């Protein structure tokens, strides 16, 4: 009896009891489809998250002033201290850092927040957050200039009152009109100023978090030169800076070097210190978290598969008992023990493979639907594309075959070892 | 030439236990090629046990057995399975067709284990079904057939690998006399037209009388051997097939 004959025999006996075959497969179908669906969803999420963070720049290290940890623990109830000018990062500190690691640092991207407010023009209005930035800020934040130009060092040195606004602000205030060279009045709490628009950038939908505001109420950032902002805020330093590392530098490892250099300036600071994190480490930790989640759920699915496999074994044992006489007859007709064993293992494999294939199809469909649901739930901000994980399909196929062999072997062996005379006499 | 040579065959059950049971007490029996032999004897005398040993389904506790000139006792199970498939055809009292397969597929089954290619399998099965006049029921499942029809399919199946010996254990036992007659005629046909060696176990003395030689078993011993009518009527009966004293 060759392999093809074996498969033929397996289908014949499965067809004789279709309902039972289907019920037996159910465990495998559930297990495999769960694995595939979860892998697909996990995969889609990882891809989406990674893309998102990649956009934010994996080789950037964000350096910021934070309250010392022991200050948090023993600090005043309800909040801590306000930073004053002496607590902030200064140009000297950054220059020092650059001197120590000239080959590792490409540039610093700097920002000073001025505040939230509005600009109005007749009945039209737009919300904005005013931010003083240097030229490098454009790169680290992936700002796409659609018209005009971004703020540069020259603007900063002469503390010009120029602004780069979002296309959303432009469409709210100016409509189709060309805004370059036009002035807008920016009204913040406790500050009012007139700025000339020098550029327009494309406002991206905010990365995460719900975007509930309508087009008219949307808050976008408006960028003014760094030193202009420092002048308004009466500060010389920065609460936060982004270090753009050179290509090939491991940003995660570099964070320690950065804090090492900068915290020397804070050894005598009572309340504050420097902390740093890299996008790369964020991506790593989120990816590993997702992988962990995937693994845990996959383990649960594996248990489902195990239960399914035991179900297959159970049914095979029942079926072999029922077919004892048939086994005796086959032996009388010339079947060797090996051929009987092969027949029943193939039968178990066929059950598991059919179950596995149905499971893969159901799993892919579930994965696509699940990914769409997550995509919806996240407010449509993040682009979730269902990406079917090919290794998981190969794994599932191999796994269902392995289940068939593993759980089919014992019953098949039992059948093979039946004494032909006892089997023929079986009632 | 002898196709079956049994010498001193002993079969015991529950060996070494207090209830040890000896079912065959040293059977000597030779069956010639092309002989039609019947075995009779009361229930429990050991007929089926002997038949199972001849058919290589069972091994004797003691004694020697050559089938077609080959000493079988030293052979491993896998070889015995092959020999069984190629040299022996079984016909059972209860037919033992496989339920989920039609007549054609049942007849093909022994050829499956004998590695006969699919096309040849189908052709031969169809031919055999014609011989037993069951060609029109080839696609029928066993549960759609009468007892006599099932037994005819079973006989066709026994012929599948063109075996040297057909072993039939009470093949008419479950059939009415008329149908039994029909089945018996098929055996005569196989014997006369195809030269098959047939060993038939039966409780029916009249049917046994039709064969060439009749062996009577009693409590595990051959107690009588006589010629049947077939001996005189059929010139093919070999001269050596004599009844022991
Ligand atoms: N597997 C076994 N274990 C123990 N005893 C057995 C076994 N098989 C057969 N026997 C005993 O061997 C004896 C002969 O049995 P066997 O089946 O050969 O009789 P038989 O002549 O074919 O009878 P019947 O005409 O009723 O079919 C019986 O006493 C039976 O109980
Ligand atoms: Mg019997």
């Amino acid at each position: 009896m060759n392999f093809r004959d074996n498969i033929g025999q397996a289908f014949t006996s499965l067809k004789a009891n279709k309902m039972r075959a289907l019920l037996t497969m159910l465990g495998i179908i559930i297990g495999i489809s769960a694995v595939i669906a979860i892998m697909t969803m996990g995969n889609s999420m990882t891809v989406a998250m990674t893309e998102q963070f990649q956009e934010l720049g994996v080789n950037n290290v964000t350096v910021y002033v934070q309250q010392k940890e022991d200050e948090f623990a023993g600090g005043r109830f309800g909040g801590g201290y306000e930073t004053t000018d002496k607590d902030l990062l200064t140009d000297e500190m950054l220059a020092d850092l650059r001197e120590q690691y000239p080959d590792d640092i490409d540039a610093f991207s700097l920002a000073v927040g001025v505040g939230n407010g509005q600009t109005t023009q007749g009945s039209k209005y737009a919300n904005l957050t005013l931010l003083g930035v240097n030229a490098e800020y454009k790169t680290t934040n992936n700002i796409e200039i659609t018209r005009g130009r971004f703020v540069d060092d020259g603007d900063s040195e002469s503390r010009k009152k120029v602004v780069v606004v979002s296309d959303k602000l432009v469409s709210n205030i100016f409509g189709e009109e060309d805004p370059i060279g036009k002035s807008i009045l920016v009204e913040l709490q406790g500050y009012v100023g007139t700025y000339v628009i020098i550029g327009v950038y494309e406002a991206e939908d905010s990365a995460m978090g719900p975007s509930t505001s309508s087009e008219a109420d949307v808050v976008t950032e408006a960028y003014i030169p760094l030193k202009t902002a420092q002048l308004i805020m009466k500060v010389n330093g920065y609460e936060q800076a982004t270090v753009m590392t050179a290509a090939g530098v491991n940003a995660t490892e570099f964070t320690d070097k950065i804090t090492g250099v900068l915290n020397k300036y804070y050894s005598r600071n009572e309340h504050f210190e420097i902390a740093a994190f890299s996008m790369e480490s964020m991506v790593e930790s989120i990816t590993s978290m997702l992988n962990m989640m995937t693994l845990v759920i996959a383990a649960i699915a594996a248990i489902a598969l195990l239960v399914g496999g035991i179900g297959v074994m159970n049914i095979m044992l029942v079926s072999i008992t029922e077919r004892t006489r048939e086994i005796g007859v086959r032996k009388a007709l010339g079947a060797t023990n090996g051929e009987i064993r092969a027949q029943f293992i193939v039968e178990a494999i066929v059950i598991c493979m059919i179950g596995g294939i149905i499971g893969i199809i159901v799993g892919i469909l579930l994965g696509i639907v699940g990914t769409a649901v997550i995509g919806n739930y996240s407010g449509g901000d993040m682009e979730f594309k269902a990406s079917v994980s090919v290794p998981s399909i190969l794994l599932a196929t191999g796994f269902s075959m392995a289940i068939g062999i593993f759980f089919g072997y014992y019953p098949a062996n039992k059948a093979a070892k039946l004494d032909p005379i006892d089997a023929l006499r079986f009632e | 030439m002898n196709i079956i040579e049994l010498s001193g065959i002993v079969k015991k059950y529950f060996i070494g236990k207090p209830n040890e049971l000896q079912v065959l007490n040293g059977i000597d029996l030779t069956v010639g090629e092309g002989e039609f032999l019947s075995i009779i004897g009361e229930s429990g005398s050991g007929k089926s046990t002997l038949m199972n040993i001849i058919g290589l389904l069972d091994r004797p506790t003691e004694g020697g057995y050559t089938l077609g000139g080959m000493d079988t006792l030293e052979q491993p199970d896998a070889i015995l399975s092959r020999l069984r498939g190629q040299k022996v055809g079984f016909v059972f009292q209860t037919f033992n067709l496989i339920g989920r397969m039609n007549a054609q597929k049942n007849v093909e089954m022994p050829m499956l284990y004998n590695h006969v290619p699919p096309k040849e399998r189908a052709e031969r099965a169809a031919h055999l079904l014609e011989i037993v006049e069951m060609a029109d029921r080839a696609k029928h499942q066993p549960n759609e057939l009468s007892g006599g029809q099932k037994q005819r399919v079973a006989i066709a199946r026994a012929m599948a690998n063109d075996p040297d010996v057909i072993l039939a254990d009470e093949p008419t036992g479950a059939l009415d006399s008329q149908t039994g007659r029909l089945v018996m005629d098929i055996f005569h046909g196989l014997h006369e037209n195809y030269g098959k060696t047939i060993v038939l176990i039966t409780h029916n003395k009249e049917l046994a009388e039709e064969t060439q030689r009749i062996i009577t078993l009693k409590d595990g011993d051959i107690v009588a051997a006589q010629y049947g009518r077939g001996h005189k009527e059929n010139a093919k009966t070999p001269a050596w097939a004599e009844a022991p004293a």
Side-chain angles (χ1 to χ4, degrees), chain B residues 42-49 51-52 93 169-170 201 203:
Chain B
E42 50 196 55
S43 186
S45 56
K47 303 184 297 292
S48 295
T49 306
M51 176 81 90
N52 288 336
Q93 179 174 0
D169 194 345
E170 296 182 41
I201 293 179
H203 281 286

Side-chain angles (χ1 to χ4, degrees), chain B:
Chain B
M1 206 205 137
N2 295 335
I3 189 98
I4 294 166
E5 290 182 3
L6 296 165
S7 58
I9 294 290
V10 172
K11 182 70 189 178
K12 294 178 187 173
Y13 288 109
F14 313 117
I15 295 161
K17 293 188 185 142
N19 57 345
E20 188 173 292
L21 180 70
Q22 185 156 329
V23 179
L24 297 175
N25 307 321
I27 301 283
D28 296 309
L29 177 68
T30 50
V31 183
E33 208 172 317
E35 190 180 356
F36 195 166
L37 176 83
S38 56
I39 302 175
I40 59 173
E42 50 196 55
S43 186
S45 56
K47 303 184 297 292
S48 295
T49 306
L50 182 62
M51 176 81 90
N52 288 336
I53 289 170
I54 295 173
L56 300 171
L57 283 171
D58 204 358
R59 290 173 188 267
T61 315
E62 288 166 30
Y65 173 28
T66 43
L67 173 67
M70 187 187 212
D71 183 9
T72 60
L73 298 185
E74 299 302 316
Q75 304 296 342
D77 285 353
I79 299 288
L80 291 190
S81 294
R82 278 287 163 271
L83 275 178
R84 195 189 302 142
Q86 290 166 0
K87 299 207 180 291
V88 183
F90 284 96
V91 179
F92 305 94
Q93 179 174 0
T94 51
F95 325 123
N96 279 335
L97 296 180
I98 293 174
R100 301 163 273 100
M101 296 178 185
N102 62 32
Q104 167 91 15
K105 292 284 172 202
N106 265 285
V107 177
E108 285 185 28
M109 181 73 66
M111 293 186 266
L112 218 67
Y113 292 113
N114 200 22
H115 304 293
V116 178
K119 193 160 166 271
E120 217 180 307
R121 264 187 341 232
E123 283 169 6
R124 178 152 175 83
H127 172 65
L128 289 167
L129 284 171
E130 253 168 55
I131 292 177
V132 297
E133 291 169 21
M134 286 294 294
D136 54 332
R137 300 295 165 95
K139 298 291 173 221
H140 285 233
Q141 302 284 322
N143 59 7
E144 297 161 2
L145 301 175
S146 75
Q149 290 171 330
K150 278 188 220 176
Q151 198 61 303
R152 277 144 70 188
V153 173
I155 293 169
R157 183 177 66 181
M159 288 286 288
N161 287 329
D162 196 18
D164 297 335
V165 184
I166 289 180
L167 301 178
D169 194 345
E170 296 182 41
T172 60
L175 305 173
D176 61 61
S177 56
Q178 206 179 334
T179 320
R181 178 72 258 153
L182 213 123
V183 166
M184 199 59 195
D185 288 344
I186 293 176
F187 281 119
H188 282 297
L190 295 181
H191 176 237
E192 280 153 29
N193 305 328
Y194 297 89
K196 293 290 158 210
T197 309
I198 300 174
V199 179
L200 169 80
I201 293 179
T202 181
H203 281 286
N204 187 326
K205 287 242 165 55
E206 283 168 32
L207 292 184
E209 280 291 327
E210 299 174 11
T211 66
Q212 293 175 315
R213 189 159 54 125
I214 306 145
I215 300 282
T216 310
L217 273 188
K218 189 167 196 279
D219 295 333
D221 287 303
I222 297 180
V223 293
Q226 67 211 77
Y227 292 126
R229 285 203 305 279
H231 179 64
K232 293 170 199 120
E233 286 164 17
N234 195 324
K236 268 195 271 174
T237 307
W240 43 260
E242 283 169 18

Side-chain angles (χ1 to χ4, degrees), chain A residues 59-297:
Chain A
N59 53 349
N60 293 341
V61 179
T62 305
V63 181
Y64 57 100
V65 178
Q66 77 170 15
Q67 218 164 77
K68 284 188 171 166
E69 267 182 44
D70 46 327
E71 286 292 328
F72 267 124
R76 292 176 308 178
F77 182 73
Y81 304 89
E82 291 276 323
T83 49
T84 58
D85 207 24
K86 71 169 175 48
D87 301 319
L88 298 180
L89 280 160
T90 62
D91 288 328
E92 296 93 77
M93 291 183 203
L94 296 177
D96 182 15
L97 186 63
R98 175 160 239 166
E99 223 164 83
Q100 303 229 11
Y101 299 105
D103 298 332
D104 297 331
I105 298 169
D106 264 358
F108 297 108
S109 149
L110 302 166
V112 169
V114 180
N116 297 321
Q118 259 194 348
T119 175
T120 49
Q121 202 120 75
S123 62
K124 296 172 195 153
Y125 69 96
N127 296 322
L128 56 81
T129 298
L130 201 61
L131 212 57
V133 299
N134 67 352
E136 283 77 14
Y137 188 89
K138 175 173 170 287
T139 322
T140 52
N141 289 272
N142 289 318
I143 292 166
E144 288 288 332
I145 295 292
T146 53
R147 267 189 248 179
R149 62 174 179 87
F150 200 63
V151 293
D152 61 23
D153 292 347
D155 301 327
S156 187
E157 285 310 319
S158 45
R159 290 165 181 79
K160 277 192 191 149
K161 295 188 77 176
V162 292
V163 68
V164 176
V165 295
S166 71
D167 51 356
K168 293 200 171 151
L169 182 141
V170 170
S171 73
N172 279 347
I173 303 284
F174 299 101
E176 295 299 301
E177 239 179 290
D178 183 8
I180 304 292
K182 297 244 164 63
S183 294
I184 53 167
L185 187 69
V186 176
E187 303 162 63
L188 310 181
Q189 211 164 19
Y191 172 79
V192 177
T194 307
Y195 289 83
V196 176
I197 297 173
I198 55 165
V200 179
Y201 72 93
E202 191 181 356
E204 290 209 13
D205 294 321
S206 70
M208 274 172 279
S211 64
T212 45
S213 42
S214 70
E215 282 295 297
D217 290 324
V218 70
V219 182
T220 59
E221 287 175 340
Y223 304 113
I224 61 173
L226 185 67
K227 287 193 170 159
T228 312
Q230 283 180 320
L231 189 68
I232 300 165
M233 299 307 290
K234 298 183 183 69
V235 293
N236 291 310
Y238 321 99
E239 288 209 4
Q240 185 180 321
T242 305
V243 180
M244 302 163 69
T245 58
V249 174
N250 183 326
T252 311
E253 283 169 18
F254 196 51
T255 54
D256 290 339
K257 293 180 184 164
I258 292 173
T259 50
V261 172
L262 295 180
N263 269 324
K264 274 184 258 156
Y265 293 93
Y266 285 78
S267 57
R268 255 168 291 152
N269 192 308
E270 268 181 77
H271 306 303
F272 292 96
E273 65 181 355
I274 293 295
F277 72 89
S278 69
M279 278 300 164
E280 195 175 65
S281 67
M282 288 277 280
V283 172
E284 277 167 17
S285 64
I286 286 183
T287 311
S288 75
M289 202 178 77
L290 276 173
N291 284 348
M292 192 67 202
M293 243 165 62
T294 309
L295 213 68
V296 167
I297 303 174

